[in-house]
Amino acid sequence: MSVKTGFQKAAICGDILFAANGPNIYAFNASSGAHLSSWKYPHPWLTPKDTAEKVAAQTEGKVAGTKDERADHESATKEDEAEAQEDGPPSKRRKVGAEPGQEVTSKKDESHAPEPDNEQAVSGQQDPKTETAAKGKGSKPKKEKAKGNGKDYGLGFGKQKAVLDIPMFQCMTTTSDGKYLVGVIGSSKTIWTFEHDGHGKLTEISQRPMPKRPCSIVITGDDKTILSADKFGDVYALPVIPGQQPSGDVPTSQEGTPTPSTPGTPQPFKYQANPLTVHTRRNLLALENQKRVAEQQVGFTEKSTPQVDFEHKLVLGHVSMLTDMVLGTHEGKEYIITADRDEHIRVSRGLPQAHVIENYCLGHKEFVSVLHIPKSHPHLLISGGGDDHLYLWNWYKGELLQKIPVGYDAEARSKGSPELPVHPVAVSGISSFHHNERYTVIGVVCENSSTLYKYLLSKDGELKFSRHIDMMFGNALDLVATDGAIYVSLDPNLSTDRHDKLTELTQQGQGRPLDTENDNPNHFFWAALIGSSEAMSPILPDSVMLADDLPQGRYDDLHKALYTTESLRKTGYERKGTSNEEEETEAVDASEGVEGAGDVEG
Amino acid sequence: MGTHGRRQKRDAYRAAQKDERAHELPRKKFYRQRAHANPFSDHNLVYPTRPEDMDWSTYYPAFVAEGQEEPKLTEGMEVHKAEIGDSEQRIEQALAAKPKQMTKDIEVADIGCGFGGLLVALSPALPDTLILGLEIRVQVTDYVQDRIRALRTQSGNNKDFQNISCLRANTMKFLPNFFRKAQLSKIFICFPDPHFKARKHKQRIVSTTLNSEYAYVLKPGGIVYTITDVQDLHEWMVGHFEAHPSFERISEEEQEADPCVPIMREETEEGKKVARHQGQKYVALFRRMEDPPW
């Protein structure tokens, strides 16, 4: 049985609905559902798993020469041959087909870039492949391994296995004038910028691989700057059009990062300790060793991060994985609002003063995954995450205004029903449109759920549960709003009898597929919540031949790539288990008296 | 077996420390823990959702506003006591209770307070100021808490060492959970883990992005004190604070005139250790400036 992939991400630009299916972007007329145009990823992106594994094995088997080979592959000289490898392997590596004349990093960087991929962090120590791969790279085993280990730090996926990288747009947004569309392909950590002709046709203008995987992007109000929030907790600013000055960039400003943390500049090797710094015998020994090694390898440079040779600037950061970012406006000034896995929502000033933190919105007990500011109420922020409530804030003041149930039994709970069993909820999307003078309609979807929760936000800012709508055909993947409707993209995989249900729904007069004659159950589904009618109108973009079937066996990988929100939750083990720390303690007991130089002590 | 015996001894010692030997200063050997902690990991941290949720009354009992009910310990918590570390139990308790009004707010934070040398020395120097040590290592936090309890008991006057306390926290992640905007007037960062390797630099306690958080919890005019014996780290800290628009470096004259500087230089445990080894000590102070108009 073949498996179809849904539209995992969508963006609205006027009446044009951009929807990404894997790394391909389709444009539809939002009101009619008519297909306007498509942009296809220049490489095949779905390969059967067995091929992928075979290629992976090969790649790992002959790792010694990997670097050069990769450089070759990516230089696109043997593109056809290379493609299978480019796109299939379970890769801890970037898969960007470098194309001449585009802004990608140099070949050399390409070959380095794959190593510190977040996937490595994901796989962590659990994945023996990382280990093998690291060992295999005979030329610089130590360095490679060190890099792998360096990424193990609790960014939340400790126990999850690496996902075979399926390239797909994980973020998409457009400039307010609709001239540009910016998207992020997660597996390659690359920001793609497209020029939009206003009628759905996209022309690629740049690819910029970021040092860490971006998880949210926004474009500033002046349409000049992309802000990219990444999984390492940092937010970078980069111009929408490469080469142009990003907004608020004052060249004399001291805001830039001092050299040590600027990614990419290789630092000449330098001893950071001297015989006066270190006190213990072991540390002295280590220092001696360092010296000896350094003498042997003259000219050795300690390379930190892959070089990123386009303009980008660190503007703020959390020491936690960022999950979402929105821009707010207060008294004509822009603010950057960032959410992290450690329950924080931070309000910082916009560029060029993003270093000033104005406030925090604190109250979530679990991770925050989605932020939303309704256009009709620019002072309000709705946030959702691992808690079974939505939080409504006055974000500028950092003031919690309201908590309202979301997820299972939201309706009953919002009516004050007695304690109901708790189900884990992971809010994955919030969107809204201004319906009339009295109400704004808020739509909320949760991961692994086919329910659309509808709330009404009154003119004076009161949030009320309205109803929930079962979309039946599949889980909600993303939702976007136009001025009068909310569109929900559905995962077609999880519902086998969706075609019948669709027909039934049509017969009940609740909605109408656009072209029932050619209705093909394998196609993609959209549910739209339109105005006050609350009817669901599935949109079937039949006129376009969508992606190939997903090969057998890749479904799990696809599922993992699509359903990532719940994995942000800190597990009970992490919460309660102290075994790790106990071990640490014991280890010290066993070697009492050994202390590192410069422990955090005072 | 060996470790088992050691743990038993440690537990027995520390249980005694809480009761019959409460006046005795604790011995470090029963509180050893690996020197480095990973600030990115989730650990097993307990922290308030918001600063307002934190009940400081058990940390600074002499500064509790009068006329308030005693918080009641539920039975479950007593049972808990044996299972988890003292410091953990304490903070859970502080979060469960309805926060009591305090007569003062904490104004000084010692980030990475280690075994508490600075806290103890600062206590008489800033007698009317509440000082909090924050330490990520559980065992070390327990040690400091036992040390402060012993010092308080020894003085017997319900006055000395009442203004210092310590809790376990990962400040790199959770500083704003403990302190409101502009609450603090001084932050001490003494002998932080140098994280020599370039790939670990993100774990350093001073960075461009973290400095924004220090600026957030500091009042304008507040001061960050840094000291280290690692020249490279010193340069790193100076570079990052000077590059941050919210901070300016304090001149050497003013630095040497600050009464907290000699305390930081001489009284921290690590400062003493460095002195024993004739190491260098690099001090730098930074003032939190007013935010520019926006």
Side-chain angles (χ1 to χ4, degrees):
Chain A
M1 194 194 101
S2 73
V3 185
K4 283 289 182 186
T5 56
F7 291 109
Q8 79 279 4
K9 206 71 205 172
I12 279 278
C13 175
D15 197 36
I16 296 169
L17 174 67
F18 289 105
N21 168 236
N24 301 321
I25 303 175
Y26 300 88
F28 303 103
N29 179 310
S31 27
S32 72
H35 172 241
L36 302 173
S37 183
S38 321
W39 180 84
K40 298 280 175 115
Y41 188 62
H43 310 282
W45 60 285
L46 289 170
T47 34
K49 192 171 192 172
D50 49 349
T51 315
E53 276 172 356
K54 210 160 67 194
V55 174
Q58 280 173 6
T59 318
E60 285 184 15
K62 51 180 180 186
V63 274
T66 314
K67 289 215 162 150
D68 297 332
E69 273 176 37
R70 255 183 225 166
D72 275 346
H73 288 170
E74 278 158 21
S75 72
T77 46
K78 320 184 219 169
E79 210 172 355
D80 291 344
E81 240 182 284
E83 262 167 5
Q85 301 205 359
E86 285 292 302
D87 296 294
S91 33
K92 324 259 176 180
R93 54 193 188 99
R94 287 190 36 231
K95 289 166 298 204
V96 173
E99 289 175 19
Q102 279 158 1
E103 189 177 0
V104 288
T105 51
S106 68
K107 274 185 221 168
K108 181 173 149 263
D109 300 325
E110 292 273 277
S111 64
H112 279 287
E115 309 308 337
D117 193 293
N118 254 352
E119 297 319 309
Q120 246 172 357
V122 169
S123 62
Q125 297 113 322
Q126 276 85 11
D127 189 354
K129 275 182 197 156
T130 315
E131 195 68 31
T132 328
K135 277 182 193 153
K137 289 181 179 113
S139 53
K140 291 172 193 162
K142 199 178 162 194
K143 257 175 73 181
E144 301 295 356
K145 193 174 171 218
K147 276 179 186 167
N149 288 345
K151 298 291 162 188
D152 289 340
Y153 297 114
L155 291 177
F157 287 123
K159 280 165 265 338
Q160 201 184 335
K161 281 210 111 186
V163 173
L164 289 191
D165 274 340
I166 298 173
M168 49 171 68
F169 279 100
Q170 290 176 330
C171 318
M172 268 202 315
T173 185
T174 60
T175 53
S176 58
D177 60 10
K179 283 188 181 151
Y180 297 96
L181 180 137
V182 179
V184 172
I185 293 190
S187 58
S188 61
K189 300 183 272 182
T190 307
I191 297 182
W192 293 62
T193 311
F194 301 91
E195 196 166 353
H196 173 217
D197 70 349
H199 306 286
K201 192 172 175 334
L202 298 175
T203 316
E204 181 202 330
I205 57 174
S206 88
Q207 299 173 28
R208 282 171 279 185
M210 298 299 286
K212 298 282 181 260
R213 182 187 283 226
C215 54
S216 178
I217 48 171
V218 293
I219 294 173
T220 55
D222 61 7
D223 278 350
K224 285 189 177 148
T225 306
I226 302 169
L227 294 175
S228 161
D230 69 33
K231 296 214 164 192
F232 213 48
D234 293 325
V235 177
Y236 289 94
L238 50 165
V240 172
I241 303 150
Q244 288 190 356
Q245 199 79 302
S247 59
D249 190 36
V250 189
T252 50
S253 154
Q254 292 184 313
E255 195 186 324
T257 333
T259 39
S261 65
T262 306
T265 22
Q267 303 284 311
F269 180 77
K270 187 168 87 174
Y271 302 110
Q272 283 158 324
N274 61 39
L276 290 174
T277 322
V278 283
H279 318 304
T280 64
R281 237 183 359 223
R282 280 193 190 188
N283 278 327
L284 282 171
L285 269 177
L287 186 65
E288 288 293 311
N289 266 334
Q290 246 184 8
K291 268 186 189 162
R292 222 175 42 233
V293 172
E295 275 159 19
Q296 281 165 4
Q297 304 181 358
V298 186
F300 168 80
T301 53
E302 195 166 348
K303 209 169 171 313
S304 46
T305 32
Q307 219 154 357
V308 175
D309 61 0
F310 51 87
E311 186 182 351
H312 71 302
K313 202 170 90 180
L314 179 64
V315 296
L316 65 95
H318 297 215
V319 182
S320 175
M321 181 194 284
L322 289 175
T323 52
D324 201 8
M325 170 171 59
V326 292
L327 294 176
T329 312
H330 178 79
E331 292 175 354
K333 295 289 181 184
E334 200 160 75
Y335 292 83
I336 303 168
I337 306 172
T338 40
D340 72 28
R341 181 175 168 257
D342 289 306
E343 309 99 30
H344 299 118
I345 299 171
R346 184 196 285 189
V347 181
S348 309
R349 288 184 182 176
L351 297 172
Q353 289 191 26
H355 62 274
V356 178
I357 300 173
E358 286 289 350
N359 239 319
Y360 283 87
C361 299
L362 301 175
H364 277 277
K365 307 278 185 201
E366 292 286 347
F367 64 88
V368 186
S369 48
V370 187
L371 300 176
H372 178 74
I373 295 180
K375 275 190 199 137
S376 53
H377 298 70
H379 63 292
L380 296 182
L381 172 75
I382 303 169
S383 63
D387 291 303
D388 58 3
H389 284 79
L390 294 175
Y391 286 58
L392 180 71
W393 309 89
N394 176 326
W395 57 264
Y396 181 74
K397 292 185 186 161
E399 185 187 343
L400 177 63
L401 302 172
Q402 217 184 317
K403 272 168 72 175
I404 187 161
V406 69
Y408 299 91
D409 304 321
E411 188 162 16
R413 286 189 290 130
S414 62
K415 285 176 188 149
S417 284
E419 289 295 298
L420 290 159
V422 182
H423 295 273
V425 176
V427 175
S428 56
I430 306 177
S431 203
S432 70
F433 65 88
H434 184 52
H435 177 48
N436 58 29
E437 318 80 67
R438 285 171 42 231
Y439 288 114
T440 290
V441 175
I442 314 275
V444 179
V445 293
C446 299
E447 190 168 86
N448 258 315
S449 150
S450 61
T451 307
L452 172 64
Y453 297 92
K454 182 185 169 190
Y455 296 82
L456 295 175
L457 181 63
S458 73
K459 194 179 155 216
D460 42 7
E462 196 197 351
L463 192 59
K464 259 199 202 137
F465 182 85
S466 164
R467 57 173 293 205
H468 59 81
I469 300 158
D470 185 359
M471 299 177 291
M472 295 186 279
F473 316 120
N475 289 338
L477 291 176
D478 193 23
L479 81 176
V480 286
T482 60
D483 285 341
I486 285 175
Y487 294 81
V488 187
S489 142
L490 304 178
D491 186 339
N493 295 312
L494 297 178
S495 177
T496 46
D497 54 354
R498 57 193 185 278
H499 188 227
D500 300 341
K501 282 188 176 169
L502 180 66
T503 313
E504 191 184 313
L505 194 77
T506 309
Q507 283 161 358
Q508 289 167 1
Q510 282 194 46
R512 191 180 67 85
L514 290 170
D515 188 354
T516 39
E517 293 298 303
N518 298 322
D519 180 15
N520 176 340
N522 277 336
H523 281 173
F524 298 77
F525 289 96
W526 286 91
L529 179 67
I530 297 168
S532 55
S533 72
E534 295 184 3
M536 197 167 34
S537 310
I539 300 175
L540 299 175
D542 277 344
S543 47
V544 52
M545 272 314 292
L546 290 156
D548 311 326
D549 288 354
L550 190 70
Q552 289 277 348
R554 293 298 303 270
Y555 177 69
D556 284 350
D557 299 324
L558 179 75
H559 191 267
K560 274 181 202 157
L562 288 176
Y563 295 87
T564 55
T565 316
E566 180 59 37
S567 62
L568 293 170
R569 196 182 303 274
K570 296 174 187 173
T571 62
Y573 169 79
E574 286 166 303
R575 275 277 161 93
K576 295 186 184 103
T578 50
S579 56
N580 267 337
E581 283 161 32
E582 289 295 333
E583 277 163 29
E584 283 179 9
T585 315
E586 294 305 328
V588 172
D589 279 352
S591 58
E592 227 162 83
V594 178
E595 286 170 45
D599 313 347
V600 186
E601 280 183 20
Chain B
M1 283 313 283
T3 56
H4 186 67
R6 247 194 301 275
R7 177 178 292 185
Q8 261 184 350
K9 246 189 261 173
R10 184 181 76 194
D11 292 346
Y13 173 85
R14 283 167 50 177
Q17 193 67 32
K18 290 184 197 359
D19 306 318
E20 66 261 36
R21 284 210 298 262
H23 59 286
E24 264 177 46
L25 283 174
R27 292 168 63 194
K28 273 190 203 171
K29 67 181 256 194
F30 293 106
Y31 300 86
R32 290 284 179 203
Q33 187 170 0
R34 194 172 167 271
H36 308 279
N38 176 4
F40 300 151
S41 117
D42 290 327
H43 289 296
N44 175 29
L45 292 164
V46 187
Y47 46 86
T49 304
R50 307 171 301 162
E52 303 90 285
D53 296 340
M54 185 70 193
D55 182 7
W56 293 107
S57 64
T58 61
Y59 291 85
Y60 303 97
F63 291 85
V64 178
E66 290 187 10
Q68 294 179 85
E69 273 177 44
E70 276 301 309
K72 278 181 196 138
L73 261 187
T74 61
E75 280 183 30
M77 280 189 167
E78 292 292 347
V79 176
H80 241 64
K81 202 171 182 175
E83 291 164 16
I84 50 176
D86 183 35
S87 56
E88 296 299 283
Q89 185 236 345
R90 194 161 174 184
I91 190 165
E92 282 187 2
Q93 180 186 326
L95 290 174
K98 190 171 168 283
K100 283 185 154 192
Q101 291 289 314
M102 304 294 286
T103 55
K104 272 186 173 24
D105 283 332
I106 293 163
E107 273 198 47
V108 177
D110 181 4
I111 294 178
C113 70
F115 289 90
L118 181 73
L119 291 174
V120 172
L122 279 178
S123 174
L126 303 168
D128 299 320
T129 308
L130 295 193
I131 307 167
L132 182 70
L134 299 127
E135 171 56 52
I136 196 167
R137 293 167 293 169
V138 188
Q139 309 294 332
V140 180
T141 315
D142 287 346
Y143 172 85
V144 181
Q145 293 193 348
D146 287 350
R147 181 177 177 180
I148 292 170
R149 178 172 39 222
L151 287 169
R152 286 178 181 171
T153 315
Q154 283 174 1
S155 84
N157 60 6
N158 200 26
K159 202 166 153 259
D160 295 344
F161 303 107
Q162 293 290 341
N163 63 335
I164 55 172
S165 195
C166 172
L167 59 76
R168 181 183 186 216
N170 177 351
T171 60
M172 288 174 74
K173 282 173 182 265
F174 299 112
L175 202 59
N177 292 62
F178 288 98
F179 305 117
R180 298 185 317 270
K181 186 178 185 175
Q183 180 179 337
L184 301 181
S185 55
K186 294 180 199 301
I187 291 178
F188 288 87
I189 299 173
C190 300
F191 299 99
D193 190 333
H195 291 294
F196 290 119
K197 291 169 187 158
R199 68 185 168 81
K200 290 210 165 186
H201 284 178
K202 173 110 185 173
Q203 295 191 31
R204 285 185 167 171
I205 196 84
V206 169
S207 69
T208 312
T209 53
L210 268 176
N211 289 356
S212 294
E213 295 197 18
Y214 301 138
Y216 170 79
V217 293
L218 272 176
K219 300 181 197 337
I223 298 175
V224 176
Y225 295 75
T226 68
I227 183 167
T228 175
D229 60 330
V230 181
Q231 187 177 1
D232 178 74
L233 180 63
H234 170 72
E235 283 160 11
W236 166 281
M237 294 197 290
V238 170
H240 280 78
F241 272 112
E242 281 184 336
H244 198 284
S246 299
F247 289 96
E248 63 176 0
R249 186 160 182 193
I250 289 177
S251 71
E252 199 149 328
E253 268 172 45
E254 201 183 326
Q255 171 183 314
E256 294 311 314
D258 191 313
C260 294
V261 169
I263 297 176
M264 171 171 80
R265 205 179 260 141
E266 309 304 333
E267 301 293 337
T268 56
E269 318 272 326
E270 196 67 21
K272 287 176 187 165
K273 190 159 103 186
V274 172
R276 278 202 302 279
H277 293 265
Q278 283 101 41
Q280 316 105 309
K281 293 180 201 170
Y282 302 93
V283 174
L285 273 52
F286 307 92
R287 181 178 292 112
R288 198 301 192 197
M289 298 188 292
E290 290 279 356
D291 285 331
W294 177 236

